[in-house]
Amino acid sequence: HHVIVGAGPSGTEFAGELSDFLRTDLSKNFPELSKKVRITLIDALPTILSIFDKKIIEYAEKKFKEEHVEVLTKTSVTSVKEKSLTTKSGDVIKEVPYGLLVWVTGNTPRKITLDLMKKIGPEVQNCRRGLAIDEFFRVKGAENIWAIGDCSCSNAPPTAQVAAQQGRYLGRLFNTLVHQMQEERQAKVEGKKSTAVADALATQPKFHFNDFGSFA
């Protein structure tokens, strides 16, 4: 029994790939063994792939049903033992035995991120997922610190497609602002204050995520 906890992009993709492996390679080479293998996908939210479009969610759920992958939503895992885990759905508590457990419940901020959030203060850094940023990826409440990807907190989906576009955008922005950044650094050395970067940003386009579609 293979159990995947966390039905976000990674957990759902893993369950789908594992199901494909069982239906193709394993069923051809070990037909009797493949009949004994079960896959269960568990998530505490009402649906799998909750950050995606409704059509994608419905498509993935339909495929899992066709492939006999058991999907348990609105189900939390309260404890994990060596060969079983305990789930809770409403008032129903069950012990689920497993042979393989894959835990894919998301990322938690690293210590350096948490330390920076704490130093800036909860009045500004009030997002639990990561560093609160503005539309140019500047960390709110800090000077000349920029953040993208999993360490940041934005409205875009937490996927590699988003992070890649953020990186390209920020690279172009840094190339554009190189002289203004040097000017601010020199002003700081001289004990002066410069708003060169902020002034230049006022003329720059804000980041826009181009969604090229999702596959799960």
Side-chain angles (χ1 to χ4, degrees):
H1 186 199
H2 302 303
V3 177
I4 301 101
V5 181
S10 298
T12 302
E13 182 178 5
F14 181 82
E17 290 291 339
L18 184 59
S19 177
D20 286 344
F21 170 72
L22 295 178
R23 290 184 300 104
T24 55
D25 298 334
L26 193 65
S27 61
K28 291 178 181 178
N29 298 314
F30 305 96
E32 294 303 318
L33 180 61
S34 65
K35 296 176 183 178
K36 299 178 181 179
V37 180
R38 292 170 52 212
I39 302 174
T40 300
L41 180 62
I42 302 175
D43 200 281
L45 295 176
T47 67
I48 64 174
L49 297 171
S50 58
I51 64 173
F52 290 94
D53 184 80
K54 184 179 179 181
K55 291 182 179 179
I56 296 176
I57 295 173
E58 291 175 346
Y59 173 79
E61 289 177 337
K62 180 182 177 183
K63 290 293 291 183
F64 282 146
K65 188 174 181 179
E66 292 173 351
E67 297 172 8
H68 304 291
V69 175
E70 184 179 15
V71 176
L72 302 178
T73 53
K74 298 182 181 178
T75 303
S76 59
V77 176
T78 58
S79 67
V80 177
K81 300 177 183 178
E82 184 179 355
K83 295 183 179 180
S84 68
L85 55 83
T86 304
T87 63
K88 183 178 181 182
S89 179
D91 297 327
V92 180
I93 298 175
K94 291 183 178 180
E95 185 168 357
V96 181
Y98 66 84
L100 171 69
L101 172 62
V102 180
W103 194 271
V104 204
T105 58
N107 299 322
T108 187
R110 297 184 68 98
K111 185 177 184 300
I112 186 173
T113 303
L114 293 172
D115 288 346
L116 182 56
M117 292 166 65
K118 184 178 180 180
K119 187 172 183 178
I120 296 172
E123 297 82 9
V124 178
Q125 291 296 328
N126 50 17
C127 179
R128 295 177 59 189
R129 291 192 292 111
L131 292 161
I133 55 176
D134 65 13
E135 59 270 26
F136 298 106
F137 305 128
R138 294 180 297 178
V139 175
K140 293 182 179 180
E143 186 178 347
N144 294 328
I145 300 179
W146 313 65
I148 60 174
D150 289 341
C151 73
S152 66
C153 184
S154 69
N155 295 325
T159 63
Q161 183 183 156
V162 173
Q165 292 184 34
Q166 289 176 335
R168 287 193 291 269
Y169 170 85
L170 197 56
R172 291 193 297 267
L173 191 62
F174 283 167
N175 286 334
T176 302
L177 300 176
V178 61
H179 297 299
Q180 288 82 359
M181 288 180 171
Q182 291 173 347
E183 180 182 329
E184 284 200 358
R185 187 161 53 248
Q186 182 61 34
K188 190 173 184 179
V189 171
E190 297 173 357
K192 301 177 182 178
K193 186 171 180 62
S194 172
T195 59
V197 171
D199 294 342
L201 283 176
T203 64
Q204 295 299 313
K206 298 175 183 178
F207 174 74
H208 174 71
F209 171 53
N210 294 311
D211 190 351
F212 296 113
S214 303
F215 177 78

